[in-house]
């Protein structure tokens, strides 16, 4: 029992340490006002697109809930309302998960030069990138898009059963959101560390393997970002800080220093 308790406490500490990397990213990002403004511009562009898309989902969610619950048409008004509220919440939860992940992928593509510079500056602060690999812009962009699409496909595959589980009373409104945040956080962490890994000539499988070696830390960082991105304007304002924090996460996962000598 003591061993199990010790393991749980250690995992919780690493999870908290991962969340703290986002706070450090905010601090590093705030010290560079010029990059701060540049980093917000791509997020504003994609944020406007995805905010409109999510607002559209909210507007039509009642119709969608009714469309997937035709079996409730003949139920009493109270029972029909309950099942359709549950269905609406399931749609909004799945929409939130996919919106956050897709927003991140699109914003990273739009703002690649800016976020690459932020990531590089963070790494330079702690010793730079060992043996960097020079990758031309277009091949790098192509790899980034392909890897992002693979992560999006995985998000959809995971999101479908979570959506279905959202119809289960109580479980759908308690357990499912926690699982959704964990899944979304993990995928965000994998997505955001892309730039530091590309500079080292590493692709998506390398990212996954490195982060799995200390999953609690990666989850702590990713879940913190995911929750912040759900806050109105949080994704727009904190996207550059998340990139800075991801550079620290990448260095930590690769056994490189994230403190100054």
């Amino acid at each position: 029992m003591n061993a199990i308790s010790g393991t749980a406490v250690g995992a919780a500490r690493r999870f908290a340490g991962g969340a703290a990397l986002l706070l450090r990213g905010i601090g590093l990002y705030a010290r560079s006002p010029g990059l701060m403004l540049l980093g917000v511009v791509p997020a504003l562009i994609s944020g406007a697109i995805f905010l409109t898309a999510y607002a559209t989902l909210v507007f039509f969610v009642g119709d969608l809930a009714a469309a997937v619950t035709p079996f409730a048409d003949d139920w009493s008004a109270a029972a029909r309302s309950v099942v359709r509220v549950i269905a609406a919440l399931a749609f909004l939860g799945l929409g939130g998960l996919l919106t956050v992940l897709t927003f991140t992928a699109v914003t990273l593509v739009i703002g690649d030069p800016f976020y690459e510079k932020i990531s590089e500056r963070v790494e330079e602060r702690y010793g730079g990138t060992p043996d960097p690999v020079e990758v031309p812009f277009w091949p790098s962009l192509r790899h980034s898009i392909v890897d992002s699409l693979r992560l999006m496909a995985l998000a959809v595959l995971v999101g479908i059963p979570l959506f279905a589980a959202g119809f289960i009373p109580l479980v759908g409104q308690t357990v499912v959101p926690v699982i959704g945040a964990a899944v979304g956080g993990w995928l965000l962490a994998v997505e955001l560390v892309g730039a530091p890994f590309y500079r080292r000539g590493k692709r998506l499988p390398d990212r996954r393997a490195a982060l799995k070696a200390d999953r609690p830390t990666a989850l702590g960082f990713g879940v913190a970002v995911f929750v912040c991105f759900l806050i109105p304007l949080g994704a727009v304002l904190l996207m550059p800080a998340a990139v800075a924090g991801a550079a620290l996460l990448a260095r930590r996962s690769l056994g490189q220093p994230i403190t100054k000598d």
Side-chain angles (χ1 to χ4, degrees), residues 104-125:
T104 302
V106 171
T107 305
L108 288 174
V109 170
I110 294 174
D112 181 72
F114 306 129
Y115 298 132
E116 177 69 25
K117 182 60 66 177
I118 291 172
S119 183
E120 281 183 358
R121 286 199 182 178
V122 171
E123 293 225 61
E124 287 169 2
R125 187 180 182 87

Side-chain angles (χ1 to χ4, degrees), residues 5 103 110 134 180 206:
S5 177
F103 162 85
I110 294 174
E134 291 294 333
D206 303 299

Side-chain angles (χ1 to χ4, degrees), residues 5-261:
S5 177
T7 300
V9 169
R13 285 176 177 169
R14 296 200 301 278
F15 184 92
L21 293 178
L22 175 60
L23 296 178
R24 289 184 60 183
I26 294 172
L28 291 168
Y29 168 53
R31 295 189 191 104
S32 303
L35 283 180
M36 210 168 176
L37 292 174
L38 289 175
V40 167
V41 172
L44 278 171
I45 295 171
S46 58
I49 296 170
F50 285 97
L51 180 61
T52 301
Y54 194 76
T56 302
L57 172 63
V58 172
F59 185 80
F60 288 106
V61 73
D63 295 333
L64 291 172
V68 299
T69 57
F71 53 84
D73 287 345
D74 298 327
W75 293 7
S76 67
R80 184 169 60 249
S81 296
V82 168
V83 76
R84 287 181 175 167
V85 166
I86 292 174
L89 291 174
F91 270 113
L92 293 176
L94 177 61
L97 172 65
L98 295 179
T99 295
V100 168
L101 295 174
T102 310
F103 162 85
T104 302
V106 171
T107 305
L108 288 174
V109 170
I110 294 174
D112 181 72
F114 306 129
Y115 298 132
E116 177 69 25
K117 182 60 66 177
I118 291 172
S119 183
E120 281 183 358
R121 286 199 182 178
V122 171
E123 293 225 61
E124 287 169 2
R125 187 180 182 87
Y126 300 106
T129 305
D131 303 319
V133 175
E134 291 294 333
V135 181
F137 174 75
W138 290 113
S140 175
L141 181 62
R142 184 175 66 253
H143 293 159
S144 178
I145 292 173
V146 169
D147 288 347
S148 293
L149 289 175
R150 290 170 65 183
L151 288 173
M152 290 305 101
L154 178 60
V156 171
L157 288 176
V158 174
I160 290 173
L162 286 178
F163 172 74
F167 286 85
I168 304 173
L170 295 180
V171 173
Q173 293 73 55
T174 54
V175 177
V176 171
V178 173
I179 296 174
V183 171
W186 171 255
L187 293 175
L188 273 181
V190 175
E191 181 74 57
L192 286 165
V193 298
F197 275 79
Y198 286 138
R199 280 196 295 276
R200 293 162 171 82
K202 298 178 182 292
R203 292 288 304 278
L204 182 58
D206 303 299
R207 282 188 259 167
R208 286 175 173 159
L211 295 183
K212 281 180 181 178
D214 189 2
R215 194 186 294 271
T217 299
L219 276 175
F221 172 77
V223 170
V225 174
F226 184 83
V227 171
C228 288
F229 277 16
L230 290 176
I231 301 170
L233 294 181
V236 172
L237 297 176
L238 291 179
M239 183 67 185
V243 170
L248 295 175
L249 175 63
R251 291 183 66 82
R252 180 167 178 168
S253 68
L254 293 168
Q256 292 157 5
I258 58 173
T259 57
K260 288 185 176 181
D261 294 334

